[in-house]
């Protein structure tokens, strides 16, 4: 026994990348995250606010919009009702299809008159845990978010007042609003509250990851165990994709502003007008990420391998020197200091991908509600 212990220690010294898989399996699946190996965090991560990955808690509902089954049912119908749009052909579900990971699997979504939007549609799965919505965080809550697509000329292209009036004129909605709110009055706020309540109900079932960290030690392969450890250490994913939501709900510039091109997008800066926010985008959740392709705000990444390779290389996007000293000089994006070369080898990349896949679950179908008349 002493010989085996010494041999293990020797291997650890001679090969710092040596990993005792069975020990990691025991620690990570033991049900106590406090016993996990320490996460390797960048100095820019606020350690006092950091929360490690884990099982999602109960869905939080705001005090001003508490849950009710009737409100959820109304919100579901409104979510699928294309009459909120000017054309009568586009619903929330057009870009957030339940059979496509609650997105549309398109590089950029089609809207009114088949116009193409500027960004990839984010999934609404587990959006109850998001503290802001959209890639640039311009909506502060799901209630606030619900109004944006209706009025957007590239999406549903309808005036909010007209959209409300159209719903109010549909007699079949009368009883639904009575059940949800106590009377049949239709207002923009009530529509927003109902849709938000429905969206908070769109959550993932337990994934392999959830099962594994909750005690099912055989839920992971050795490759997935190594991948989880890499995620929290050498691969540095944990810096941004932390908390049980697998997002820090913060904004980062990972070098994809596409500065000076036709697809240039300043992200968060378009909302705040603060030059420090140029090129920053909200960290998306990695839960159900396998089902929400293509990836990134521009939808230019067709595989998760592409995404991992981007970060492994530190995204060495060159500064376009032709803009130095020009009127656009101050707008040249500055990437997040956490973005650096990782030196992951092929096996480590495969292990990391194997772990990321455990965060997704099989696509589920839902019954599309019949529209009121």
């Amino acid at each position: 026994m002493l010989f085996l212990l010494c041999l293990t220690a020797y291997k650890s010294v001679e090969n710092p990348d040596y990993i005792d898989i069975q020990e990691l399996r025991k620690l990570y699946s033991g049900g106590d995250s406090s016993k996990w190996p320490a996460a390797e965090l960048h100095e820019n991560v606020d350690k006092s606010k950091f929360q490690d990955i884990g099982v999602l808690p109960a869905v939080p509902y705001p005090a001003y919009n508490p849950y009710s089954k009737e409100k959820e049912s109304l919100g579901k119908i409104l979510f699928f009702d294309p009459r909120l749009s000017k054309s009568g052909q586009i619903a929330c579900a057009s870009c957030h299809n339940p059979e496509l990971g609650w997105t549309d699997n398109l590089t950029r979504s089609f809207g009114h008159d088949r116009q193409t939007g500027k960004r990839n549609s984010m999934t609404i799965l587990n959006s109850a845990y998001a503290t802001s919505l959209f890639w640039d965080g311009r909506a502060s809550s799901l209630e606030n978010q619900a109004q944006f697509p209706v009025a957007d000329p590239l999406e549903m292209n309808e005036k909010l007042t007209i959209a409300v009036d159209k719903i109010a004129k549909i007699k079949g909605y009368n009883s639904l609003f009575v059940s949800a709110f106590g009377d049949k009055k239709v207002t923009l706020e009530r529509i927003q509250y109902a849709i938000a309540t429905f969206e908070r109900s769109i959550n993932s079932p337990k994934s392999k990851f959830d099962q594994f960290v909750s005690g099912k030690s055989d839920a992971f392969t050795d490759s997935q165990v190594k991948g989880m450890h890499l995620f929290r250490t050498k691969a540095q994913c944990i810096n941004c994709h932390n908390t049980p939501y697998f997002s820090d709900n913060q904004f980062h510039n990972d070098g994809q502003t596409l500065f000076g091109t036709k697809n240039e997008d300043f992200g968060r800066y378009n909302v705040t007008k603060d030059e420090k926010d140029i090129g920053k985008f909200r960290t998306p959740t990695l839960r159900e990420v396998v089902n929400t392709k293509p990836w990134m705000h521009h939808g230019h990444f067709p595989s998760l391998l592409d995404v991992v390779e981007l970060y492994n290389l530190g995204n060495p996007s060159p500064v376009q020197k032709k803009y130095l000293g020009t009127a656009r000089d101050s707008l040249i994006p500055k990437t997040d200091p956490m973005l650096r070369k990782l030196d992951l080898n092929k096996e480590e990349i495969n292990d990391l991908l194997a772990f990321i896949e455990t965060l997704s679950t099989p696509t589920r179908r839902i019954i599309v509600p019949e529209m009121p008349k």
Side-chain angles (χ1 to χ4, degrees), residues 55-57 59 101-102 123-127 129 199-207 210 244-245 285-289 291 359-362 364:
V55 178
L56 285 168
V59 175
W102 291 91
T123 181
I124 64 166
L125 272 162
N126 306 305
S127 56
Y129 302 94
E199 290 178 332
R200 287 193 178 91
S201 74
I202 307 302
N203 300 299
S204 300
K206 297 294 184 183
S207 65
D210 297 312
Y245 181 48
T285 176
L286 291 186
R287 283 188 175 271
E288 306 296 347
V289 69
N291 301 320
L359 305 176
S360 297
T361 59
R364 295 175 295 167

Side-chain angles (χ1 to χ4, degrees), residues 19 43 61 90 113 119 150 165 186 198 208 218 239 308 328 330 351 353 372:
I19 295 176
E43 61 182 10
Y61 285 87
I90 302 173
D113 282 345
R119 295 175 184 157
V150 177
D165 287 344
V186 177
F198 168 66
K208 280 188 178 180
D218 60 351
N239 283 316
V308 172
R328 304 201 80 205
S330 64
D351 290 340
L353 288 169

Side-chain angles (χ1 to χ4, degrees), residues 210-224:
D210 297 312
Q211 295 171 21
F212 178 70
V213 298
S214 297
K216 195 174 188 302
S217 61
D218 60 351
F220 272 14
T221 64
D222 285 353
S223 177
Q224 289 164 343

Side-chain angles (χ1 to χ4, degrees), residues 42 44 240 251-259 265 275-281 310-311 313-320 330-341:
H42 189 273
N44 282 26
C240 298
F251 300 86
H252 302 278
N253 182 346
D254 61 359
Q256 296 186 75
T257 309
L258 306 179
F259 186 73
D265 191 337
E275 290 186 0
K276 293 180 181 179
D277 288 333
I278 292 176
K280 289 185 178 181
F281 292 89
L310 171 85
Y311 291 117
L313 294 171
N315 191 14
S317 54
V319 172
Q320 299 197 37
S330 64
L331 298 178
I332 294 176
K334 295 178 177 61
T335 56
D336 196 297
M338 289 191 284
L339 192 68
R340 63 177 180 79
K341 195 171 182 179

Side-chain angles (χ1 to χ4, degrees), residues 74-85:
L74 171 60
K76 180 178 181 180
I77 294 171
L78 289 166
F79 188 88
F80 282 90
D81 197 333
R83 291 170 293 188
L84 281 169
S85 68

Side-chain angles (χ1 to χ4, degrees), residues 298-315:
H298 44 54
H300 288 176
F301 287 73
S303 78
L304 285 173
L305 175 60
D306 295 323
V307 177
V308 172
E309 288 283 17
L310 171 85
Y311 291 117
N312 191 35
L313 294 171
N315 191 14

Side-chain angles (χ1 to χ4, degrees), residues 75-323:
K76 180 178 181 180
I77 294 171
L78 289 166
F79 188 88
F80 282 90
D81 197 333
R83 291 170 293 188
L84 281 169
S85 68
K86 183 175 182 178
S87 66
Q89 299 296 317
I90 302 173
C92 303
S94 298
C95 295
H96 301 287
N97 189 325
E99 295 188 26
L100 298 175
W102 291 91
T103 178
D104 56 16
N105 293 166
L106 296 174
T107 300
R108 296 184 185 88
S109 301
F110 290 110
H112 184 74
D113 282 345
R114 300 293 288 178
Q115 296 177 89
T116 303
K118 296 180 179 179
R119 295 175 184 157
N120 177 265
S121 289
M122 302 186 89
T123 181
I124 64 166
L125 272 162
N126 306 305
S127 56
Y129 302 94
T131 56
S132 64
L133 286 302
F134 294 109
W135 284 103
D136 55 20
R138 63 185 180 275
S140 58
S141 67
L142 282 171
E143 286 79 7
N144 182 224
Q145 183 275 336
Q147 65 179 312
F148 281 89
V150 177
D152 192 323
L154 293 179
E155 297 187 57
M156 299 168 79
N157 193 36
E158 184 60 281
K159 292 182 179 179
L160 292 172
T161 53
I162 295 177
V164 172
D165 287 344
K166 286 196 293 186
I167 296 300
K169 291 176 182 177
I170 300 171
K171 293 182 179 179
Y173 268 115
N174 289 348
S175 61
L176 297 172
F177 274 84
V178 170
S179 296
F181 295 104
D183 60 64
K184 66 179 183 180
K185 185 178 180 181
V186 177
T187 66
L188 176 60
E189 181 179 89
R190 286 182 171 185
I191 290 174
Q192 291 174 269
Y193 280 28
I195 291 176
T197 300
F198 168 66
E199 290 178 332
R200 287 193 178 91
S201 74
I202 307 302
N203 300 299
S204 300
K206 297 294 184 183
S207 65
K208 280 188 178 180
F209 164 77
D210 297 312
Q211 295 171 21
F212 178 70
V213 298
S214 297
K216 195 174 188 302
S217 61
D218 60 351
F220 272 14
T221 64
D222 285 353
S223 177
Q224 289 164 343
V225 173
K226 288 188 289 183
M228 179 174 174
H229 188 60
L230 285 164
F231 185 96
R232 298 180 65 256
T233 55
K234 182 179 179 181
Q236 297 288 290
C237 310
I238 195 72
N239 283 316
C240 298
H241 295 285
N242 48 55
T243 78
Y245 181 48
F246 279 81
S247 168
D248 60 2
N249 273 311
Q250 300 298 313
F251 300 86
H252 302 278
N253 182 346
D254 61 359
Q256 296 186 75
T257 309
L258 306 179
F259 186 73
T261 73
K262 66 178 181 179
N263 292 314
E264 178 181 280
D265 191 337
F266 282 175
R268 182 68 173 160
Y269 171 79
N270 294 329
V271 177
T272 67
K273 301 306 178 184
D274 185 340
E275 290 186 0
K276 293 180 181 179
D277 288 333
I278 292 176
K280 289 185 178 181
F281 292 89
R282 187 166 70 85
T283 305
T285 176
L286 291 186
R287 283 188 175 271
E288 306 296 347
V289 69
V290 169
N291 301 320
T292 58
K293 63 182 179 183
W295 296 280
M296 303 298 186
H297 73 270
H298 44 54
H300 288 176
F301 287 73
S303 78
L304 285 173
L305 175 60
D306 295 323
V307 177
V308 172
E309 288 283 17
L310 171 85
Y311 291 117
N312 191 35
L313 294 171
N315 191 14
S317 54
V319 172
Q320 299 197 37
K321 295 182 179 179
K322 66 180 180 180
Y323 292 107

